[in-house]
Amino acid sequence: MQLSIGNAKTSSAFFISFVFAFFVFAGSASAQDFAAQSEAQFVLLGPRIESGLIWDVERRRDEAFCSMTTDEVRRKLRKSSSAVVAAAFEILREARIRCAARKLGIDVGFRTGFNTSVGVGGEFGLNSTTETQTIGSNGVFDPIDAARKAGINYGGVVGSVGIGYDWKVGSLFSPTRLGAGGSFIGVNVDVTFGGGSKTINGIPGIVPFVPAATASMDMLRYRRNVGVDFTARVGTYISPTTSIYALGGVATSSISLKYDCPSTGFCGFGGATPAFSTESTKWAVGGVFGAGIETKADWLPRLLPIENAAMSLYIEYRAHIMDKVAIDVGSVATRSTSQEVDLSYQTITAGARIRF
């Protein structure tokens, strides 16, 4: 739902509140431009109280603009500044494009407001590594040789779900404003499930006290379980039904380390420690950035009946640069290891976004 009160104070405050965000994302429009647009809309339409779904409010506003004649517009603007006059005619030009497109059955741009998404794709390691910090058994720590770091690049299948909110903001990347608005900004929260795993034989950097062949029988298994991304995105339309966008933000992800000490490995050497298998999980934090392409799919609601929903399809790439996290697994009283793990990863997903 949207409620917008079209008097001068509230309209100006609405646009001014977004000025600083727009500068962060693109820096292409000035505060004066938005103030002029706000005043021009008020001069043309007067005080308005509008409620309803966002795209329905936009449609009614366009119809009001398109019903005006040029003489009527000039009469309303006769006491306005040149900046406001220019902004008013730009608003009218864009509205008339949208009105003409709707008459032809073309709905330009995506619906703004709340949306949900679901996707599936692949996950790939991003130069991930593990470095041995300590190895101990029965309270005694083994020496570690120079080869204490190992690469653990991995791959797997991921699923994702998300929720977000988008705003149309005119054109951020071009002086020409197209269709229903050349650009949009948004915020999203996305959760991924599943992901890559990697098993390495032996603990990096450990050979002492046991033959190398025996030590290599121990196994460490790294797995990424669940990730949560908090991102902002900015995009532009490359056609009336397709957009490209970039995104960035913060990410957190759970990382598991499983240690198998089999009877054929260290735990069977000399009978000092019984065989065991144990696992520990930690959460890592980091940053995420990426890009995607999205296109409208108006035919999807007909296949999956969802009342009052607009749907689109997207393909998206994300790179997650995670901070290193130390994971301790096992027990010093028997056998344990501490690994400093970097499980940075990247994903490519494809899915559908539903806009309400």
Side-chain angles (χ1 to χ4, degrees), residues 142-214:
D142 300 349
I144 304 173
D145 66 20
R148 60 193 299 168
K149 181 182 287 188
I152 51 173
N153 283 339
Y154 55 90
V157 176
V158 295
S160 68
V161 294
I163 185 170
Y165 196 97
D166 289 336
W167 295 268
K168 288 179 182 175
V169 294
S171 180
L172 293 174
F173 305 100
S174 169
T176 303
R177 302 186 178 188
L178 302 175
S183 305
F184 63 88
I185 60 174
V187 291
N188 292 81
V189 179
D190 298 280
V191 181
T192 57
F193 304 93
S197 64
K198 177 70 173 183
T199 300
I200 63 174
N201 293 324
I203 299 176
I206 180 61
V207 177
F209 304 152
V210 294
T214 301

Side-chain angles (χ1 to χ4, degrees), residues 31 63 77 160 227 272 312-313:
E63 290 174 352
L77 294 170
S160 68
S312 58
L313 301 176

Side-chain angles (χ1 to χ4, degrees), residues 218-288:
D218 289 6
M219 289 183 293
L220 299 178
R221 184 172 187 266
Y222 301 86
R223 185 178 71 251
R224 199 190 67 79
N225 302 304
V226 179
V228 184
D229 296 349
F230 303 88
T231 59
R233 66 177 189 151
V234 56
T236 188
Y237 297 102
I238 58 176
S239 81
T241 59
T242 302
S243 73
I244 55 175
Y245 59 88
L247 60 86
V250 296
T252 181
S253 179
S254 66
I255 298 170
S256 294
L257 169 58
K258 183 178 182 182
Y259 178 22
D260 287 322
C261 189
S263 58
T264 54
F266 175 89
C267 290
F269 185 76
T273 303
F276 69 89
S277 178
T278 185
E279 186 171 1
S280 293
T281 299
K282 282 260 185 109
W283 282 84
V285 297
V288 56

Side-chain angles (χ1 to χ4, degrees), residues 44-62:
L44 293 174
L45 298 182
R48 292 167 63 93
I49 296 178
E50 299 173 310
S51 63
L53 297 175
I54 291 173
W55 59 90
D56 195 41
V57 170
E58 292 174 345
R59 178 187 58 78
R60 294 198 303 267
R61 195 174 295 169
D62 283 346

Side-chain angles (χ1 to χ4, degrees), residues 277-308:
S277 178
T278 185
E279 186 171 1
S280 293
T281 299
K282 282 260 185 109
W283 282 84
V285 297
V288 56
F289 63 89
I293 184 169
E294 183 175 349
T295 188
K296 292 176 66 175
D298 292 333
W299 47 271
L300 273 177
R302 294 195 295 270
L303 299 179
L304 303 170
I306 302 177
E307 189 175 357
N308 296 324

